[in-house]
Amino acid sequence: MKFCSSCNVQIATEVRRCPLCSGAVTADERPNEVVYPAFQNKANYHFIKRLLLFLSIVLGASCICVNYLTTIDFWWWTIAVTALMYAWIAVPHAMRRGGNAGGKILMQAVCAAAAVVLLDMETGYRGWSVTYVLPVIFCAGSVSLVLVILCNRTNWAGYVLYQAILAVFGFVPLVLYFTGLSSSLIAALIPSLLAFASIVAMLVFGDKSIKNEFRRRLRF
């Protein structure tokens, strides 16, 4: 194996010049070194996780007690507990190593949608969640997934199922409008049009790999 001292790289092919700097190369006489991965102390990780869980339980219980002793006419502790539940469900899933980016985006959209609807119900339900926030969440999820696909176009088939699910969610605000649960037609049309464009894009640009991915994911 050859070695370039200027670039400090090893060259597997038998060449006289470095392909990077065109400098002269020499025989690599360095001994082979075994590089071990950095050791991760899982015990510390689990301790921190348990500590955060303990603090979350204490915080939730404290909010319930303070709410009961001060302002019993408004149960604001439900808002704090909802935020803690969202943090424990959505944040670890987003920070988990590996996994499909499309699945993470879909999970974040579903958790955020559920969280805002709960917050709306806990504050008297004025309908702001289903009228305005849900369309924004589903639009943001679709756009984020499109950006991921554009950055990794060679593996588009791996995201197509999540794109299809988000497209279905994009029609939810329109259904809520026609059932009387939402009050803004424009806010409902935007994610629906984006979902329709997403489905058309899959039909136009899709190939056999897209169909095979659906069969593999859905097992039919």
Coordinates of all heavy atoms in Angstrom, one line a residue, residues 135 138-139 142-143 146 163 166-175 178 185-202:
P135 N -53.2 22.1 10.2 CA -52.7 22.3 8.8 C -51.2 22.7 8.7 O -50.5 22.2 7.9 CB -53.6 23.5 8.3 CG -54.9 23.3 9.1 CD -54.4 22.9 10.5
F138 N -49.1 19.5 9.4 CA -49.1 18.5 8.3 C -48.3 19.1 7.1 O -47.6 18.4 6.4 CB -50.5 18.1 7.9 CG -51.2 17.4 9.0 CD1 -52.5 17.6 9.2 CD2 -50.5 16.5 9.8 CE1 -53.2 16.9 10.2 CE2 -51.2 15.8 10.8 CZ -52.5 16.0 11.0
C139 N -48.4 20.4 6.9 CA -47.7 21.0 5.8 C -46.2 21.0 6.1 O -45.3 20.7 5.2 CB -48.1 22.5 5.6 SG -49.7 22.7 4.8
S142 N -44.9 17.4 5.5 CA -44.7 17.1 4.1 C -43.5 17.8 3.5 O -42.8 17.2 2.7 CB -46.0 17.5 3.3 OG -47.1 16.7 3.8
V143 N -43.4 19.1 3.8 CA -42.2 19.8 3.2 C -40.9 19.3 3.7 O -39.9 19.1 3.0 CB -42.4 21.3 3.5 CG1 -41.1 22.1 3.1 CG2 -43.6 21.9 2.8
V146 N -40.1 16.1 1.9 CA -39.7 16.4 0.5 C -38.2 16.8 0.5 O -37.4 16.4 -0.4 CB -40.6 17.4 -0.1 CG1 -40.0 17.9 -1.4 CG2 -42.0 16.9 -0.4
Q163 N -44.3 9.2 3.1 CA -44.8 10.3 2.3 C -46.3 10.1 2.0 O -47.1 11.1 2.1 CB -44.0 10.5 1.0 CG -44.4 11.7 0.2 CD -43.7 11.8 -1.1 OE1 -43.1 10.8 -1.6 NE2 -43.6 12.9 -1.7
L166 N -48.3 10.8 5.3 CA -48.4 12.3 5.5 C -49.4 12.9 4.5 O -50.1 13.9 4.8 CB -47.1 12.9 5.4 CG -46.2 12.8 6.6 CD1 -44.8 13.3 6.4 CD2 -46.8 13.5 7.8
A167 N -49.4 12.3 3.3 CA -50.4 12.9 2.3 C -51.8 12.6 2.7 O -52.7 13.5 2.6 CB -50.1 12.2 0.9
V168 N -52.1 11.4 3.3 CA -53.4 11.1 3.8 C -53.8 12.1 4.9 O -54.9 12.6 5.0 CB -53.5 9.7 4.3 CG1 -54.8 9.4 5.0 CG2 -53.3 8.7 3.1
F169 N -52.8 12.3 5.8 CA -53.0 13.3 6.9 C -53.3 14.7 6.4 O -54.0 15.5 7.1 CB -51.8 13.3 7.9 CG -51.7 12.1 8.8 CD1 -50.5 11.7 9.4 CD2 -52.9 11.4 9.1 CE1 -50.5 10.7 10.2 CE2 -52.8 10.3 9.9 CZ -51.6 9.9 10.5
G170 N -52.8 15.0 5.2 CA -53.0 16.3 4.7 C -54.4 16.6 4.3 O -54.8 17.8 4.3
F171 N -55.2 15.6 4.1 CA -56.6 15.7 3.8 C -57.5 15.8 5.1 O -58.7 16.1 5.0 CB -57.1 14.6 2.9 CG -56.6 14.6 1.5 CD1 -55.6 13.7 1.2 CD2 -57.0 15.5 0.6 CE1 -55.0 13.7 -0.1 CE2 -56.5 15.5 -0.7 CZ -55.5 14.6 -1.0
V172 N -56.9 15.6 6.2 CA -57.7 15.6 7.5 C -58.3 17.0 7.8 O -59.4 17.1 8.1 CB -56.8 15.1 8.6 CG1 -57.5 15.4 10.0 CG2 -56.5 13.6 8.5
P173 N -57.5 18.1 7.6 CA -58.1 19.4 7.9 C -59.3 19.7 7.0 O -60.3 20.3 7.4 CB -57.0 20.4 7.6 CG -55.7 19.6 7.8 CD -56.0 18.2 7.4
L174 N -59.3 19.2 5.7 CA -60.4 19.4 4.8 C -61.6 18.6 5.3 O -62.8 19.1 5.3 CB -60.1 19.0 3.4 CG -61.0 19.5 2.3 CD1 -61.1 21.0 2.3 CD2 -60.6 18.9 1.0
V175 N -61.4 17.4 5.8 CA -62.5 16.6 6.4 C -63.1 17.3 7.6 O -64.3 17.3 7.8 CB -62.0 15.2 6.7 CG1 -63.1 14.4 7.4 CG2 -61.6 14.5 5.4
F178 N -65.4 20.2 6.6 CA -66.7 19.8 6.1 C -67.6 19.2 7.1 O -68.8 19.1 7.0 CB -66.6 18.9 4.9 CG -66.2 19.6 3.6 CD1 -64.9 19.4 3.0 CD2 -67.0 20.5 3.0 CE1 -64.6 20.1 1.9 CE2 -66.7 21.2 1.8 CZ -65.4 21.0 1.3
L185 N -61.7 27.5 5.6 CA -61.5 26.7 4.4 C -60.1 26.9 3.8 O -59.5 25.9 3.3 CB -62.6 27.1 3.4 CG -62.6 26.4 2.0 CD1 -62.7 24.9 2.2 CD2 -63.6 27.0 1.1
I186 N -59.6 28.1 3.8 CA -58.3 28.3 3.2 C -57.2 27.5 4.0 O -56.3 26.8 3.4 CB -57.9 29.8 3.3 CG1 -58.9 30.6 2.4 CG2 -56.5 30.0 2.8 CD1 -58.7 32.1 2.4
A187 N -57.2 27.5 5.3 CA -56.3 26.7 6.1 C -56.4 25.2 5.8 O -55.4 24.5 5.9 CB -56.5 27.0 7.6
A188 N -57.6 24.8 5.5 CA -57.8 23.4 5.3 C -57.4 23.0 3.8 O -57.0 21.9 3.6 CB -59.3 23.0 5.5
L189 N -57.5 23.9 2.9 CA -57.2 23.6 1.5 C -55.7 23.5 1.3 O -55.2 22.7 0.4 CB -57.8 24.7 0.6 CG -59.3 24.6 0.2 CD1 -59.7 25.8 -0.6 CD2 -59.5 23.3 -0.5
I190 N -54.9 24.3 2.0 CA -53.4 24.3 1.7 C -52.8 23.0 1.9 O -52.1 22.5 1.0 CB -52.8 25.4 2.6 CG1 -53.2 26.8 2.1 CG2 -51.2 25.3 2.5 CD1 -52.7 27.9 3.0
P191 N -53.0 22.3 3.1 CA -52.4 21.0 3.2 C -53.0 20.0 2.3 O -52.3 19.0 1.9 CB -52.6 20.6 4.7 CG -53.8 21.5 5.1 CD -53.7 22.7 4.3
S192 N -54.3 20.1 2.0 CA -54.9 19.2 1.0 C -54.3 19.3 -0.4 O -54.1 18.3 -1.0 CB -56.4 19.4 1.0 OG -57.0 19.3 2.3
L193 N -54.1 20.5 -0.8 CA -53.4 20.7 -2.1 C -52.0 20.2 -2.1 O -51.5 19.6 -3.1 CB -53.5 22.2 -2.5 CG -54.8 22.8 -2.8 CD1 -54.7 24.3 -3.0 CD2 -55.5 22.1 -4.0
L194 N -51.3 20.4 -1.0 CA -49.9 19.9 -0.9 C -49.9 18.3 -0.9 O -49.1 17.7 -1.5 CB -49.3 20.4 0.4 CG -47.8 20.1 0.6 CD1 -47.0 20.8 -0.6 CD2 -47.3 20.7 1.9
A195 N -50.9 17.8 -0.2 CA -51.1 16.3 -0.2 C -51.4 15.8 -1.6 O -50.8 14.7 -2.0 CB -52.1 15.9 0.8
F196 N -52.3 16.4 -2.3 CA -52.6 16.0 -3.7 C -51.4 16.1 -4.6 O -51.1 15.2 -5.4 CB -53.7 16.9 -4.2 CG -54.1 16.6 -5.6 CD1 -54.9 15.5 -5.9 CD2 -53.7 17.4 -6.7 CE1 -55.2 15.2 -7.2 CE2 -54.1 17.1 -8.0 CZ -54.8 16.0 -8.3
A197 N -50.6 17.2 -4.5 CA -49.4 17.3 -5.3 C -48.4 16.2 -4.9 O -47.7 15.7 -5.8 CB -48.8 18.7 -5.0
S198 N -48.3 15.8 -3.7 CA -47.4 14.8 -3.3 C -47.8 13.4 -3.9 O -46.9 12.7 -4.3 CB -47.4 14.7 -1.7 OG -46.6 13.6 -1.3
I199 N -49.1 13.1 -3.9 CA -49.6 11.9 -4.5 C -49.3 11.9 -6.0 O -48.9 10.9 -6.6 CB -51.1 11.7 -4.2 CG1 -51.3 11.5 -2.7 CG2 -51.6 10.5 -5.0 CD1 -52.7 11.4 -2.3
V200 N -49.6 13.0 -6.6 CA -49.3 13.1 -8.1 C -47.8 12.9 -8.4 O -47.4 12.2 -9.3 CB -49.8 14.4 -8.6 CG1 -49.4 14.6 -10.1 CG2 -51.3 14.5 -8.5
A201 N -47.0 13.5 -7.5 CA -45.5 13.3 -7.7 C -45.1 11.9 -7.6 O -44.2 11.4 -8.4 CB -44.8 14.2 -6.7
M202 N -45.7 11.1 -6.7 CA -45.3 9.7 -6.5 C -45.8 8.9 -7.7 O -45.1 8.0 -8.2 CB -46.0 9.2 -5.3 CG -45.3 9.5 -4.0 SD -45.9 8.6 -2.5 CE -47.6 9.3 -2.4

